[in-house]
Amino acid sequence: MKKITINDVARHAGVSKKTISRVLNQEPNVSSETRKKVEKSFTELGYRPNPQARALASSQSYLIGLLYPSQSNSYVSNIQKGALERCRAEGFHLVIYPEDHENESLISQFESNLNSSNLDGIILTPPFADMRKLLDLLKEREIPVVRVGAISALDSIPSVISNDAEASYEMCRYLISIGHHKIAFIKGHLDHGATEQRLSGYTKALKEAGIPILDQFIQQGNFSFESGEDCARRLLSLKVPPSAIFASNDYMAAGIVKVAKQKGISIPHDLTVTGFDNAPASRYIWPSLTTIKQPITEMAIEATRMLIRIIRKKPLEKLSTTIRNELIVRESSAPAKT
Amino acid sequence: MKKITINDVARHAGVSKKTISRVLNQEPNVSSETRKKVEKSFTELGYRPNPQARALASSQSYLIGLLYPSQSNSYVSNIQKGALERCRAEGFHLVIYPEDHENESLISQFESNLNSSNLDGIILTPPFADMRKLLDLLKEREIPVVRVGAISALDSIPSVISNDAEASYEMCRYLISIGHHKIAFIKGHLDHGATEQRLSGYTKALKEAGIPILDQFIQQGNFSFESGEDCARRLLSLKVPPSAIFASNDYMAAGIVKVAKQKGISIPHDLTVTGFDNAPASRYIWPSLTTIKQPITEMAIEATRMLIRIIRKKPLEKLSTTIRNELIVRESSAPAKT
DNA sequence: GTGAAAGCGCTAACAT
DNA sequence: ATGTTAGCGCTTTCAC
């Protein structure tokens, strides 16, 4: 079966190529009569426009790239979900690029991806959203970009962020409100801007409440389950251990829960543990985790919407959008014992 | 900065377009002298061939589509990981299509995706890998396909599978070997072929061991955490409850662990719980789950390798490849109390 | 070993 | 409202 092209349709409908193109692209200046005639030809011939040809002629690929850290987790799937929702609605396709942000040759590798794909635009997630070199490369290439969860404020590049510092503050306010003042904090990976933000909410809340900030109560994790275990072991063997541990993501919190249980410490009776992200695992473990729900999917939806506007050369309402986090209280937190 | 095209390079190097094309595509019949000259021009001009133009002229897009169930979980990220590994190595890009397999308009929706993208090939995961209509559509379109985890044997379409039935059998053999004979089984979603396979391993092992197969010990789940909880409640309130529960995926197993703990049942002391898949959550919960490690990433790597061979019109070594599962014994299983 | 010409299937610019 | 004429940047065909 031969491929039907625009020429076949033009012949069949008795009009010019350009008119077919007009109907295809929903341009004005086509009488509804001709339009109907052409559409009839479409179905009769089973015409399907060739995306490559359109891409070449219009220099649009309808491909959007998504760059994210290759270490897979629930963040990634939520980002994908959101981006796909908009892409689908707008007729775009999503091409995924998980990359190791510590990879030395990241830039050159990504550049070769760029060369072989002609993406219409790119969505950058942490920590890529803050990588200067990458942003420069994309700018030089004049590829539209939207950043998700970026920390650094670059007024030239649109971004969607969440209020991590505030949410972290809110979590600590909550812990203090139920009587905790020996509150420990586990930091995330240093390369992620969120790490600093989440810590700042913690210190702010404690300071405000007049609770001294103790070095030994602030542990360095890296967002992994294992690092949560390590930090928990250190914290729980302190002479004066915390009554509550706030881990800056759920995987680390899960690690704490595990270590606590192994030590026979009952959660939340003896120890309150809270996380951040509302990862699926936060519901699967027992007790389920009190955590912060990050609106990741929503952020990706908004970022993709913005990106497509840029691609279409429509003006952006604002350069930066903030979507708010939400505290979710579940089973892993309880009032401090008096 | 103006775009450099093949014409610019041809002029610069003092050769014809076609020779440039030859160098670009590593075709023979170019003297190494000319080749060097051309390559020099490439770098001097900073030439980057336009993928769209190549795509149009050669009718190859270098895009591979990945169709998978939209309900996100670790299966998806592992599949993506594997597919991407091969795509990257071979210069392809991965475009993702999560779909709801219960969606009535799935076929027509996916067809419109096809129309607007011109994928070179498609990887199908369960349960799509067994959807007749979809396979027919793809066949009609003459789009190369490889199926992952398919059940139905279609000698016309290549596939990569794992030995689920055997692994399930092995798990039950293990449970029996440590003294269990009151073993319950939780089935997965009916639309997934794996559900039947995993059940068959269970019944085979029990029959072989002379253990009667009890209806009330076989519960219908749907692969979700919640369905695991439901089934656990039913099983644990039986007059004669099981001493071991084998859930056909880890999320359901996690649900069982949660319900058991809520009821004060100690795992693995009072109850053995095992899962399937080796999902991340299987390590995050406590006790960590004894499970079957499915070689999902490896399956995707192999599937993508096969797909690219088909796209390149190279012969396939064999139509179907099996990659073996592996039993992982962790903390959630222990000998039956005597 | 190299090149000229003719597409690939569509859209853009400019008529009419 | 519709058509004509050129491309878009590459590969293919076939000649030399």
Side-chain angles (χ1 to χ4, degrees):
Chain A
M1 166 184 146
K2 205 184 134 292
K3 282 267 179 293
I4 308 290
T5 78
I6 199 171
N7 294 305
D8 302 322
V9 186
R11 205 172 310 122
H12 182 101
V15 295
S16 79
K17 257 164 89 162
K18 179 63 214 185
T19 301
I20 307 296
S21 175
R22 286 205 177 87
V23 175
L24 229 42
N25 297 295
Q26 321 200 51
E27 285 170 32
N29 294 338
V30 184
S31 74
S32 65
E33 237 178 300
T34 349
R35 187 178 300 274
K36 261 180 211 142
K37 196 169 53 179
V38 171
E39 274 162 357
K40 190 151 159 276
S41 295
F42 281 176
T43 55
E44 278 180 22
L45 296 178
Y47 172 60
R48 295 191 301 266
N50 179 329
Q52 331 271 24
R54 301 182 88 170
L56 176 57
S58 65
S59 49
Q60 260 223 74
S61 64
Y62 288 95
L63 297 178
I64 285 179
L66 176 64
L67 182 56
Y68 58 84
S70 47
Q71 183 211 351
S72 70
N73 53 36
S74 66
Y75 185 92
V76 167
S77 50
N78 285 323
I79 282 276
Q80 290 183 353
K81 196 182 295 177
L84 278 158
E85 180 178 322
R86 275 335 289 160
C87 280
R88 172 161 307 194
E90 310 263 15
F92 281 77
H93 300 257
L94 190 69
V95 190
I96 57 177
Y97 298 98
E99 298 281 356
D100 174 8
H101 76 273
E102 289 175 328
N103 180 353
E104 287 298 328
S105 53
L106 167 70
I107 303 284
S108 66
Q109 227 171 274
F110 192 67
E111 195 169 0
S112 86
N113 278 333
L114 245 41
N115 290 341
S116 60
S117 67
N118 251 0
L119 303 171
D120 282 346
I122 292 178
I123 298 168
L124 256 30
T125 67
F128 302 108
D130 282 307
M131 285 182 55
R132 205 54 211 231
K133 278 190 182 174
L134 202 56
L135 293 167
D136 287 344
L137 169 65
L138 265 12
K139 182 166 198 173
E140 182 200 319
R141 290 290 194 93
E142 298 179 347
I143 300 176
V145 170
V146 173
R147 308 186 302 150
V148 173
I151 299 309
S152 51
L154 298 171
D155 39 294
S156 54
I157 307 179
S159 66
V160 181
I161 55 176
S162 58
N163 57 340
D164 277 26
E166 273 180 68
S168 181
Y169 172 79
E170 195 187 344
M171 175 66 88
C172 294
R173 293 285 312 156
Y174 159 72
L175 292 174
I176 293 167
S177 77
I178 57 175
H180 292 281
H181 37 261
K182 290 178 297 179
I183 304 172
F185 182 83
I186 300 189
K187 294 195 277 186
H189 197 294
L190 284 173
D191 288 345
H192 283 65
T195 291
E196 201 185 323
Q197 300 241 312
R198 293 175 188 183
L199 176 62
S200 76
Y202 166 83
T203 52
K204 182 182 170 200
L206 265 62
K207 270 184 194 153
E208 259 188 31
I211 301 174
I213 293 170
L214 307 173
D215 275 357
Q216 70 269 30
F217 272 8
I218 301 184
Q219 295 283 332
Q220 180 68 55
N222 66 7
F223 285 144
S224 74
F225 179 77
E226 288 75 16
S227 74
E229 291 181 296
D230 293 342
C231 294
R233 280 191 208 97
R234 287 196 291 271
L235 287 170
L236 296 177
S237 58
L238 250 35
K239 326 99 235 152
V240 184
S243 70
I245 305 179
F246 175 21
S248 57
N249 85 347
D250 289 336
Y251 299 119
M252 296 194 295
I256 299 168
V257 168
K258 173 165 184 178
V259 169
K261 282 191 190 159
Q262 286 175 329
K263 285 181 179 275
I265 299 172
S266 155
I267 296 174
H269 188 256
D270 300 328
L271 177 70
T272 281
V273 176
T274 66
F276 205 116
D277 281 349
N278 192 33
S282 70
R283 294 192 303 116
Y284 296 154
I285 68 173
W286 193 81
S288 59
L289 291 176
T290 290
T291 189
I292 299 285
K293 179 181 174 185
Q294 252 208 111
I296 303 173
T297 304
E298 291 76 11
M299 289 169 76
I301 291 177
E302 175 61 13
T304 311
R305 195 190 64 78
M306 290 167 80
L307 184 57
I308 293 176
R309 280 191 78 90
I310 301 173
I311 292 170
R312 299 224 167 104
K313 304 199 187 307
K314 292 186 186 167
L316 240 41
E317 302 84 353
K318 44 185 174 175
L319 208 57
S320 177
T321 307
T322 302
I323 301 185
R324 303 190 65 76
N325 290 297
E326 184 189 342
L327 174 64
I328 298 183
V329 176
R330 286 200 281 241
E331 304 164 336
S332 68
S333 56
K337 290 190 286 188
T338 47
Chain B
M1 165 184 146
K2 204 184 137 292
K3 283 266 180 293
I4 309 289
T5 77
I6 197 171
N7 295 304
D8 302 321
V9 186
R11 206 172 309 123
H12 182 101
V15 296
S16 79
K17 258 164 90 164
K18 177 62 216 186
T19 300
I20 306 297
S21 176
R22 285 205 179 88
V23 175
L24 228 42
N25 297 293
Q26 323 199 49
E27 285 170 31
N29 293 337
V30 184
S31 74
S32 65
E33 236 178 299
T34 340
R35 188 178 298 275
K36 262 181 211 141
K37 197 169 54 180
V38 171
E39 275 161 357
K40 189 150 161 273
S41 295
F42 282 176
T43 55
E44 277 180 22
L45 296 177
Y47 172 61
R48 295 191 300 265
N50 179 328
Q52 331 272 21
R54 301 182 89 171
L56 177 57
S58 65
S59 50
Q60 259 224 80
S61 65
Y62 288 94
L63 297 177
I64 284 179
L66 176 64
L67 183 56
Y68 57 84
S70 46
Q71 185 211 349
S72 68
N73 52 37
S74 65
Y75 186 91
V76 168
S77 49
N78 285 324
I79 282 277
Q80 289 183 355
K81 196 182 299 176
L84 277 157
E85 179 177 323
R86 274 335 288 160
C87 280
R88 173 160 307 196
E90 309 263 15
F92 282 77
H93 300 259
L94 191 68
V95 190
I96 57 176
Y97 299 98
E99 299 280 355
D100 174 8
H101 76 274
E102 289 175 329
N103 180 355
E104 288 297 329
S105 53
L106 165 70
I107 303 284
S108 66
Q109 227 172 274
F110 191 66
E111 194 168 2
S112 85
N113 277 334
L114 244 41
N115 289 341
S116 60
S117 67
N118 251 1
L119 304 171
D120 282 346
I122 292 179
I123 298 166
L124 256 30
T125 67
F128 302 108
D130 282 307
M131 285 182 55
R132 205 55 212 228
K133 279 189 182 174
L134 201 58
L135 294 168
D136 287 345
L137 169 66
L138 264 13
K139 182 167 197 172
E140 182 200 320
R141 290 292 194 92
E142 299 180 345
I143 300 177
V145 170
V146 172
R147 310 185 302 151
V148 174
I151 299 309
S152 51
L154 298 172
D155 39 295
S156 54
I157 308 180
S159 65
V160 181
I161 55 177
S162 57
N163 58 338
D164 278 24
E166 272 180 69
S168 180
Y169 171 79
E170 194 188 344
M171 174 67 87
C172 294
R173 293 285 312 156
Y174 160 70
L175 293 173
I176 293 166
S177 78
I178 58 174
H180 293 279
H181 36 263
K182 290 178 297 181
I183 304 172
F185 183 84
I186 302 190
K187 294 194 278 186
H189 197 294
L190 284 174
D191 289 345
H192 283 64
T195 292
E196 201 186 323
Q197 300 241 313
R198 294 176 188 183
L199 177 62
S200 75
Y202 166 83
T203 53
K204 182 180 170 203
L206 266 63
K207 269 184 195 154
E208 261 188 29
I211 302 175
I213 290 169
L214 306 173
D215 275 356
Q216 69 269 29
F217 271 10
I218 300 183
Q219 294 284 330
Q220 180 68 56
N222 65 8
F223 286 144
S224 75
F225 179 76
E226 289 75 15
S227 74
E229 291 181 296
D230 293 343
C231 294
R233 280 191 207 97
R234 287 197 290 273
L235 287 170
L236 297 177
S237 56
L238 251 34
K239 327 99 234 149
V240 185
S243 69
I245 305 179
F246 175 21
S248 57
N249 85 347
D250 289 336
Y251 299 119
M252 297 195 294
I256 298 167
V257 168
K258 174 166 185 176
V259 168
K261 283 190 191 161
Q262 286 175 329
K263 285 181 179 275
I265 299 172
S266 155
I267 296 173
H269 187 255
D270 300 330
L271 177 70
T272 281
V273 176
T274 67
F276 205 116
D277 280 351
N278 193 31
S282 70
R283 293 192 305 117
Y284 296 154
I285 68 173
W286 194 81
S288 58
L289 292 176
T290 290
T291 188
I292 299 286
K293 178 180 175 185
Q294 254 209 109
I296 304 173
T297 303
E298 291 75 12
M299 290 169 76
I301 291 176
E302 175 62 12
T304 310
R305 194 190 64 79
M306 290 166 80
L307 184 58
I308 293 175
R309 280 191 79 89
I310 301 174
I311 291 170
R312 300 225 168 105
K313 305 201 186 305
K314 291 188 187 166
L316 239 42
E317 301 83 352
K318 44 184 174 177
L319 209 55
S320 178
T321 307
T322 302
I323 302 185
R324 303 190 65 76
N325 292 297
E326 184 188 341
L327 173 64
I328 298 184
V329 175
R330 285 201 280 241
E331 304 164 336
S332 68
S333 56
K337 289 190 287 191
T338 46

